[in-house]
Amino acid sequence: MVARLLAERLGCTTEFLLHGIEPRQRIDTELGLRHAELELYHGDPALAADRFGDIVKAAGEDNALLAAHARLGRARALEAQGKIGRAVEAYERLRREAAAHPERLADVPLTVALCRCYQKAGDLMRARDLGAEALAQVMELSLFHGEVAVELAAALAEAEIGLPYVEQVLASTGVPVPEDRTTEILSLWQASISAAEGEDSALAVHFADDALSAGRPARIALQMARVAMRWAEVGAAKAVSDSGRVDELVARAGAVFAMVPDESAEHARSLVVLARLRLRSGDAGRAEELARQALTRLAEEPCTTAALAHLVLADVALARSDGSLEATLERAGALLEEAPQVGAFTGRQVAAVWRELGDLWGRAGRRPQQTAAYRKALEAVGVRSTVAGAVTSAVFAR
């Protein structure tokens, strides 16, 4: 009542008095945010970043809430493009803003995003500190469902901390296999654009919200598949769960990845994880079959997953005293040499595979090749050793 009277005296709308923006301008800005989100999730992250940036400029200081959400969207778009350094800077600024203005932004999602980004950048200590901080906050809320819980579980699994929480999220959410709703999403997105062109902004926002909602189950399913994969890898190594549960989760993750053409690399990775689990259980035949399936999916593309598949085959050949052992190990090394390496996170992954390759060369009795592989592992994490055979296990500690 007071706001309406003041607005009448000032000759402006109540909306402008309360939010610093006219109703039509506000709904158009909100529609722009939704279209930028759709671009982020279902289109081009680079274009999404530009659109979020335009909204930040348009909103200015007159509408701090919409501008803050646009800055958050831009940070996510930068991360999606692999521009991790710039994404970290943006998230850190947003976190300071959230501390000063908690009514604009929530701190937990920003802490989770920073944990994820520092992990990718190679700063494990900072990533783990942030992950522990976010975990403490969500445990106070007993939060095990929803996107925040799923994103946190994914970040914790990568950082190899908080595994009991990760397991609880897996138990609560599972690894659902979603329907392919791409056609529906694109149709609703186009309907939103058409409604906006017809100057029906309210209907355009409605269609955009429907499109975003339609895509949410698949986004959560994909993230849960990644959580299951990482938890299986870490959990099996640390013996935190039974093998049957691990097998089930990895198989379900593989089923999710198999549905999405853009996730063929993750599908291949799930096959390799299953193959390594089969090796541990003594089923060499099934391990070999799964490794070959992974290589077929990858078409021998140079990457750590392809190299790991060859290491599975080498392990099988070693157990069988197969004459293909040396050629298989050499192929794994060649794939690692050619694998693209971007950032410290990838460097650690490559180093771990070089170390495994060195172990297999050692088991095969090839000491020069073993030493060379260990030296490559050191180089992958930025260490240059001039002393033959000088390998320190601490270098590979995660």
Side-chain angles (χ1 to χ4, degrees):
M1 181 70 177
V2 173
R4 182 174 61 79
L5 291 172
L6 283 173
E8 288 175 358
R9 289 289 183 91
L10 294 170
C12 64
T13 64
T14 305
E15 182 82 4
F16 182 84
L17 184 63
L18 293 173
H19 302 290
I21 192 168
E22 291 292 352
R24 179 55 187 265
Q25 184 185 356
R26 181 181 180 85
I27 198 168
D28 285 346
T29 303
E30 289 182 351
L31 178 60
L33 276 172
R34 285 160 173 78
H35 283 179
E37 277 192 77
L38 285 166
E39 198 69 61
L40 172 61
Y41 292 130
H42 306 288
D44 182 354
L47 182 55
D50 291 341
R51 289 187 173 181
F52 281 123
D54 290 342
I55 293 168
V56 171
K57 293 174 186 175
E61 296 302 318
D62 292 333
N63 197 305
L65 180 62
L66 287 178
H69 283 282
R71 284 194 291 273
L72 174 58
R74 187 169 182 275
R76 286 156 50 205
L78 289 169
E79 183 186 354
Q81 293 175 75
K83 297 178 179 179
I84 303 303
R86 292 176 62 189
V88 165
E89 291 176 8
Y91 283 132
E92 289 284 13
R93 284 195 298 271
L94 286 165
R95 198 167 182 231
R96 289 193 293 272
E97 183 175 352
H101 301 282
E103 74 282 1
R104 296 180 192 171
L105 292 166
D107 179 68
V108 175
L110 294 169
T111 306
V112 173
L114 280 167
C115 170
R116 185 173 59 242
C117 286
Y118 277 112
Q119 174 76 15
K120 291 175 182 175
D123 190 341
L124 295 184
M125 186 174 295
R126 178 65 174 152
R128 287 172 175 168
D129 286 346
L130 288 163
E133 186 177 336
L135 178 58
Q137 290 177 282
V138 300
M139 288 302 290
E140 288 183 5
L141 303 170
S142 298
L143 181 67
F144 302 104
H145 297 86
E147 288 187 83
V148 171
V150 170
E151 293 291 336
L152 175 58
L156 293 175
E158 287 294 350
E160 298 184 20
I161 60 171
L163 293 184
Y165 179 79
V166 176
E167 189 166 5
Q168 283 182 282
V169 173
L170 279 166
S172 301
T173 306
V175 186
V177 179
E179 298 177 50
D180 182 359
R181 301 178 68 179
T182 304
T183 301
E184 177 186 353
I185 293 165
L186 295 179
S187 176
L188 286 165
W189 188 359
Q190 184 55 54
S192 178
I193 292 171
S194 298
E197 290 172 349
E199 298 191 355
D200 194 341
S201 298
L203 185 61
V205 168
H206 179 80
F207 287 146
D209 282 339
D210 284 351
L212 289 167
S213 296
R216 185 172 179 270
R219 291 195 298 275
I220 288 180
L222 273 173
Q223 192 66 288
M224 285 307 302
R226 296 186 184 103
V227 171
M229 285 274 297
R230 189 62 187 146
W231 179 83
E233 290 176 312
V234 177
K238 296 186 176 182
V240 298
S241 61
D242 64 273
S243 60
R245 171 73 168 151
V246 170
D247 285 1
E248 177 191 351
L249 286 172
V250 177
R252 289 187 66 80
V256 173
F257 295 135
M259 287 183 57
V260 185
D262 290 343
E263 298 294 333
S264 59
E266 287 294 322
H267 185 204
R269 181 183 164 207
S270 71
L271 293 170
V272 172
V273 171
L274 277 174
R276 287 158 71 84
L277 291 170
R278 294 281 63 77
L279 267 181
R280 287 195 186 103
S281 66
D283 189 350
R286 181 59 177 153
E288 180 181 11
E289 181 184 339
L290 289 164
R292 294 197 185 281
Q293 287 178 22
L295 289 171
T296 299
R297 293 283 298 178
L298 293 168
E300 289 284 325
E301 179 185 347
C303 60
T304 55
T305 302
L308 282 169
H310 278 283
L311 294 188
V312 170
L313 296 177
D315 221 322
V316 172
L318 188 62
R320 295 174 177 171
S321 299
D322 193 316
S324 64
L325 172 61
E326 191 160 333
T328 304
L329 290 175
E330 286 175 352
R331 180 59 183 150
L335 287 167
L336 281 174
E337 290 275 15
E338 299 168 20
Q341 186 169 328
V342 182
F345 182 53
T346 303
R348 291 195 313 279
Q349 290 178 318
V350 172
V353 184
W354 274 117
R355 182 180 58 185
E356 285 193 40
L357 178 57
D359 292 344
L360 279 166
W361 277 122
R363 287 168 58 193
R366 306 292 196 275
R367 300 304 174 192
Q369 291 92 331
Q370 179 185 27
T371 300
Y374 285 159
R375 188 174 289 116
K376 288 286 187 181
L378 288 166
E379 291 172 0
V381 290
V383 177
R384 295 290 184 271
S385 175
T386 57
V387 181
V391 179
T392 305
S393 60
V395 172
F396 306 114
R398 287 174 175 260

